[in-house]
Amino acid sequence: MSAEDTLTSETTQDTTPSANYSEIIYNGLWKNNPALVQLLGLCPMLAVTSTVVNALGLGLATMVVLIGSNVAVSLIRNYVADAVRLPAFVMIIASFTTCIELIMQAYTYELYQILGIFIPLIVTNCAILGRADAFASRNPVLPSALDGMMMGLGFTFILVVLGGMRELIGQGTLFSDMQLLFGDMALHWKIVVFSDYPNVLFAMLPPGAFIGLGILIAFKNYMDEREKKRLAAQKAQQGPAESKRVRVTGQTAS
């Protein structure tokens, strides 16, 4: 094979995704969810999900870093030596995290103060470095960007659900202080579910976060087990595949 043919072959391989797009979406949102299955990023998840706005702010910041780092890692994957691969990935993640931190300081300063150290700690989120090393470094740009978006959406969704549970049980409200993220247009988004509600401090503290996350993990395991039983029952109803008899004839020499 000539050098030109080799280059063409390598280019074709680089632009062919190794995973189906629907599989990438399903893995990020459900099957391989960073929060429920991989159990990564638990420190910020349990610390800041006392309200929906805190959870959404951290989730969106993490998702942007995931998408940006996956795209950047995919672009340089053929030019970085294995010896410096992980340090290069960490530098990329740190660069995007710094950009997000500066943007939040400029536009959502009060929310940035509430989230505090957990914004710069996005650099140490194992979910981001894990996706960069396990997926983006082995796939083209578009699948890598989609993988980062779906993993980020799956992580953000669990953050918001957990934050909503804790806010509802702890304060009896939903979507309070959303103006910290969306500005003045969100001043009236607060929903008072229970009026004259005695605050449940336990739900707002870290132990409440552990219990809430355990409930969500148990729910996912229950749904997976239910789907597995449904597929097994459906397969049993179909019965074993009918075996086909093949007639073999031969000729003998006279």
Side-chain angles (χ1 to χ4, degrees):
M1 182 182 291
S2 65
E4 182 178 357
D5 293 337
T6 303
L7 180 60
T8 303
S9 176
E10 292 177 354
T11 305
T12 303
Q13 292 176 358
D14 288 344
T15 57
T16 302
S18 62
N20 187 286
Y21 287 122
S22 59
E23 182 182 353
I24 294 174
I25 295 173
Y26 179 63
N27 284 337
L29 296 180
W30 185 259
K31 182 179 179 181
N32 201 26
N33 187 286
L36 296 182
V37 180
Q38 302 180 55
L39 299 180
L40 299 176
L42 295 185
C43 179
M45 177 189 303
L46 300 175
V48 305
T49 54
S50 56
T51 61
V52 173
V53 66
N54 293 352
L56 185 60
L58 180 64
L60 292 177
T62 304
M63 182 172 64
V64 172
V65 175
L66 257 170
I67 297 173
S69 60
N70 269 20
V71 170
V73 167
S74 178
L75 288 173
I76 68 169
R77 70 187 190 281
N78 295 325
Y79 307 100
V80 178
D82 290 340
V84 296
R85 187 178 78 253
L86 291 181
F89 294 170
V90 172
M91 290 298 296
I92 291 172
I93 296 170
S95 300
F96 281 102
T97 302
T98 302
C99 293
I100 290 298
E101 186 177 2
L102 294 176
I103 291 173
M104 293 190 70
Q105 285 182 359
Y107 296 101
T108 59
Y109 184 68
E110 293 183 15
L111 181 60
Y112 169 77
Q113 286 184 314
I114 293 173
L115 297 178
I117 190 63
F118 294 103
I119 293 299
L121 280 180
I122 291 176
V123 177
T124 63
N125 193 324
C126 296
I128 301 176
L129 182 60
R131 297 318 297 172
D133 185 47
F135 192 91
S137 62
R138 296 173 171 83
N139 290 274
V141 174
L142 288 180
S144 299
L146 181 62
D147 177 78
M149 179 179 293
M150 291 302 107
M151 288 290 171
L153 281 176
F155 185 72
T156 302
F157 177 73
I158 299 303
L159 284 176
V160 172
V161 171
L162 183 58
M165 291 171 53
R166 296 178 65 190
E167 181 180 350
L168 179 62
I169 298 173
Q171 301 178 1
T173 63
L174 283 174
F175 308 119
S176 59
D177 299 324
M178 294 297 287
Q179 69 275 7
L180 298 179
L181 184 60
F182 296 104
D184 293 339
M185 68 176 183
L187 284 172
H188 304 291
W189 288 8
K190 180 179 178 179
I191 301 175
V192 179
V193 181
F194 305 110
S195 58
D196 298 329
Y197 184 75
N199 293 344
V200 181
L201 183 61
F202 179 80
M204 308 299 293
L205 294 176
F210 274 103
I211 294 176
L213 180 60
I215 292 173
L216 294 178
I217 294 174
F219 175 76
K220 183 190 183 301
N221 292 340
Y222 167 76
M223 294 300 295
D224 288 342
E225 188 66 24
R226 182 179 177 182
E227 179 66 14
K228 187 185 298 183
K229 291 181 179 179
R230 187 188 68 83
L231 293 176
Q234 183 179 1
K235 185 177 180 180
Q237 290 178 357
Q238 293 176 355
E242 296 181 356
S243 59
K244 297 182 179 179
R245 301 178 61 184
V246 179
R247 183 178 179 183
V248 180
T249 60
Q251 296 180 352
T252 58
S254 58

